[in-house]
Amino acid sequence: MVNAIGPLDDDAVVIELGPGTGVFTREVAHRYPANPLVAVEFNQVFAESLRCGMPKVRVVEGCASRLIGHLDQLGIDPARVGAVISGLPVLSLQRGLSSAIFSAIAEVLTPGRPYIQFTYSRRAWRRFDLPGLRLERTLAVWFNMPPANVMTFRRVGAASPITVGD
Ligand SMILES: C[S@@+](CC[C@H](N)C(=O)[O-])C[C@H]1O[C@@H](n2cnc3c(N)ncnc32)[C@H](O)[C@@H]1O
């Protein structure tokens, strides 16, 4: 997941959606110590635990679909967002919510910046449209239990509907 972020300017903000227990969060903080990290977590217990364990991370207890509002409240200009990574259980979310999350991600990313998503089923993603985001590559992680996939999307210039195909 974190390998897919790539090089970042020092003031670029990394956003993590659905950090849970913070496995990815800790790795991002370790590899990008100079970059602000914002974590948006719905679950109060996880959010508080992250806040206590990683005081430098700006933890927002809220919904990923409201990302633009969260950044606004933190005073962060979306133009500074360098990457969005996500462990959100997108395949289990209601369709309207996943669409709202994809729109929010596309809205905060500038063209060329990545959205990196963890998933257990690459195939199940064929049902989604991700306007303004292009699937660049899928990496199978066989040593994860169960085996998983890391999907890297990239913000494209125009917000046109793009279907995730094979
Ligand atoms: C599979 S877990 C993430 C696993 C994480 N990588 C870890 O190391 O624990 C998914 C997380 O997404 C959070 N989540 C689910 N829906 C959300 C939403 N709409 N907005 C923000 N977080 C959400 C859940 O509370 C949960 O912590």
Side-chain angles (χ1 to χ4, degrees):
M1 286 289 288
V2 181
N3 282 347
I5 294 176
L8 289 176
D9 291 339
D10 274 357
D11 66 339
V13 178
V14 178
I15 294 177
E16 181 177 7
L17 306 176
T21 59
V23 172
F24 302 151
T25 324
R26 279 186 283 280
E27 190 62 21
V28 172
H30 174 67
R31 292 212 217 166
Y32 296 92
N35 293 89
L37 172 53
V38 174
V40 181
E41 172 56 56
F42 202 67
N43 181 290
Q44 184 187 10
V45 174
F46 285 145
E48 281 176 6
S49 166
L50 279 174
R51 227 174 252 135
C52 293
M54 305 187 70
K56 284 174 74 176
V57 177
R58 301 178 85 171
V59 180
V60 175
E61 186 189 325
C63 183
S65 63
R66 301 181 61 93
L67 180 57
I68 297 143
H70 297 319
L71 291 183
D72 192 44
Q73 282 203 326
L74 293 172
I76 294 173
D77 181 350
R80 287 179 58 204
V81 175
V84 175
I85 71 168
S86 164
L88 289 171
V90 173
L91 300 176
S92 312
L93 302 178
Q94 287 188 346
R95 179 65 73 100
L97 181 55
S98 55
S99 296
I101 291 170
F102 297 147
S103 297
I105 293 169
E107 199 163 337
V108 301
L109 286 175
T110 49
R113 299 316 310 170
Y115 155 45
I116 302 143
Q117 175 69 49
F118 183 90
T119 185
Y120 289 111
S121 174
R122 156 78 182 87
R123 291 181 68 81
W125 277 72
R126 288 185 298 181
R127 66 176 185 258
F128 294 126
D129 287 332
L130 286 85
L133 295 162
R134 177 176 53 81
L135 180 62
E136 185 174 80
R137 71 172 188 159
T138 303
L139 181 72
V141 187
W142 298 109
F143 52 80
N144 195 75
M145 284 300 288
N149 294 279
V150 173
M151 301 173 78
T152 302
F153 296 86
R154 212 161 279 281
R155 182 70 166 99
V156 291
S160 57
I162 296 163
T163 304
V164 181
D166 269 332

